[in-house]
Amino acid sequence: MKSVISGALVAAMMSTVAISSGAFAADIKAQPIVPLTFDMSQLQQAYRASKIIGVTVVNEADETVGSIDDLLINRNDNVPYAVLSVGGFLGVGNKFVAVPYKSLHIVKDKIVLPGGSKDALKQLPEFKYQ
């Protein structure tokens, strides 16, 4: 019994050493913490990603063309693309495509892709998560 516990402890310590040795810290650089000042009214007008992901996307004729599966954020804190799920039924047979985030318009409680259609989106190259 002691050898099983000892083995588990050694395995746990080795995994901790691997993680702390920089396996995940390769991209992290120490930066000083600077107090930020910002306009709170601008933050109140911002959109939360959790409220956008999963929302149905329609065209200007109010026809459903897909739904937002994800938002891609680059290292410059920009959201250049939205990943849409198109086609399929209840998530089966769907295809993921990336569209420029700027092409989406939030109008009241809807996300509109002007000029979008299911057929046009299905013709776009498939986006694959890595």
Side-chain angles (χ1 to χ4, degrees):
M1 183 65 165
K2 286 183 181 180
S3 63
V4 172
I5 294 172
S6 297
L9 287 174
V10 169
M13 289 186 335
M14 289 177 65
S15 66
T16 303
V17 170
I19 290 172
S20 64
S21 68
F24 295 109
D27 288 342
I28 300 173
K29 295 178 182 156
Q31 295 181 359
I33 298 175
V34 179
L36 298 176
T37 58
F38 48 84
D39 183 1
M40 186 60 87
S41 65
Q42 285 184 334
L43 289 180
Q44 296 300 325
Q45 296 173 10
Y47 299 104
R48 292 176 22 204
S50 61
K51 297 294 182 182
I52 293 177
I53 294 171
V55 172
T56 299
V57 177
V58 298
N59 60 18
E60 63 272 10
D62 206 30
E63 300 168 331
T64 298
V65 296
S67 64
I68 297 185
D69 186 71
D70 214 342
L71 300 173
L72 303 178
I73 301 168
N74 64 21
R75 290 182 183 244
N76 296 328
D77 298 330
N78 295 323
V79 181
Y81 294 97
V83 177
L84 302 184
S85 175
V86 297
F89 181 71
L90 297 176
V92 178
N94 60 331
K95 174 182 176 181
F96 296 117
V97 297
V99 299
Y101 181 77
K102 290 180 180 180
S103 65
L104 300 172
H105 300 280
I106 299 177
V107 180
K108 295 186 183 178
D109 60 345
K110 294 184 180 185
I111 297 180
V112 180
L113 178 62
S117 72
K118 286 183 183 180
D119 291 334
L121 290 172
K122 287 179 188 178
Q123 299 304 314
L124 293 176
E126 184 173 10
F127 175 83
K128 294 188 180 197
Y129 290 99
Q130 295 194 10

